């Protein structure tokens, strides 16, 4: 391990000066949060600023960590403990894998709490977080859940046109089931509702804001879009285009357009934003 790896605490990295045996919650909450999210590592023997202090007995710390996790975590997360030597001092990395059996709880002192990671903090999961974690533990997502809308009541002209534009092929209705838009009993899934022409999910919204500066004190332009997710994507692209510079370079035989951002980069950024949206909110706040 390179010392440059220990830059700062983050959503997947936490520093602990030492193992607090009498206060296991102080560090097990991070174990819970990492297991409930994308995984992460706790580094014991490192202070809050990333300075390596070291541990006197790494083997003993490993044994105590194993005992505390066994006694205070339910279910048991998948972990790996790896000692590292930095600046002549020995530290311990407790690596926590993203779990498949969420929620992962800290259990102690009459408490049973699941934690999630927000920035560089591990905080108790909200009711909305718990719903998402339970779905993850069932190997399901919000999108895959069945809605109460019969598939015969949904139309997919917008999806069909987008499919034809992107692939050059005709869209077939049998694709709806293979795409996970229709359940086995013929109802729209939540994903199917999102892609239907008349999306009825009131939470399917996108907010776009152009700010006056990097501090985001004053807004220059602010709009809200609601409905079909493909329409949201289209409107977001148009919003960015209308709020960015469209320069061009003069050439001997014409001119070359030089937009501030490449259209493909805009598309990929927005698609990633939509994919990683909050499943309990079904949308997001985009800002420019």
């Amino acid at each position: 391990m390179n010392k440059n790896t220990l830059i700062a605490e983050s959503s997947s990295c936490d520093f602990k000066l030492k193992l607090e045996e009498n206060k296991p919650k102080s560090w097990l909450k991070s174990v819970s949060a990492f297991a409930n999210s994308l995984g992460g590592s706790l580094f014991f023997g490192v202070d809050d600023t990333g300075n390596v202090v070291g541990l006197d007995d790494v083997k003993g710390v490993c044994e105590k960590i194993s005992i505390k996790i066994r006694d205070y975590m339910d279910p048991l997360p998948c972990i790996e403990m790896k000692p590292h030597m930095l600046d002549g001092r020995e530290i311990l990395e407790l690596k926590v894998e993203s779990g498949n059996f969420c929620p992962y709880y800290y259990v102690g002192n009459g408490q049973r709490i699941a934690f999630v990671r927000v920035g560089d903090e591990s905080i108790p999961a909200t009711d909305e977080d718990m719903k998402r974690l339970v779905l993850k533990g069932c190997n399901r997502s919000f999108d895959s859940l069945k809605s109460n809308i019969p598939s015969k009541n949904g139309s997919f002209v917008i999806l069909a046109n987008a499919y034809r534009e992107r692939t050059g092929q005709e869209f077939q209705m049998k694709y709806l089931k293979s795409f996970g838009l229709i359940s086995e009993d013929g109802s729209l899934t939540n994903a199917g509702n999102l892609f239907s022409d008349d999306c009825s999910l009131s939470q399917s919204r996108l907010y776009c804001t152009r700010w006056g500066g990097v501090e985001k004190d004053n807004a220059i332009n602010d709009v809200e879009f609601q409905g079909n997710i493909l329409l949201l994507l289209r409107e977001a692209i148009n919003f960015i285009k209308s709020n960015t510079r469209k320069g061009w370079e003069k050439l001997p035989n014409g001119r070359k357009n030089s937009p501030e951002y490449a259209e493909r980069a805009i598309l990929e950024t927005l698609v990633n934003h939509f994919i990683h949206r909050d499943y309990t909110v079904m949308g997001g706040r985009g800002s420019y």
Side-chain angles (χ1 to χ4, degrees), residues 165-166 230 233-234 236-237 240-241 261-275:
E165 179 183 346
R166 295 289 178 183
L230 293 175
L233 178 61
R234 183 190 306 170
I237 291 174
I240 293 176
K241 284 184 177 180
Y261 300 104
E263 185 171 345
R264 182 67 182 183
I266 294 173
L267 175 63
E268 291 185 3
T269 299
L270 289 171
V271 169
N272 285 332
H273 173 71
F274 280 35
I275 290 173

Side-chain angles (χ1 to χ4, degrees), residues 123 182 184 199 250 259:
I123 63 174
I182 292 180
E184 291 297 327
C199 174
K250 188 175 181 180

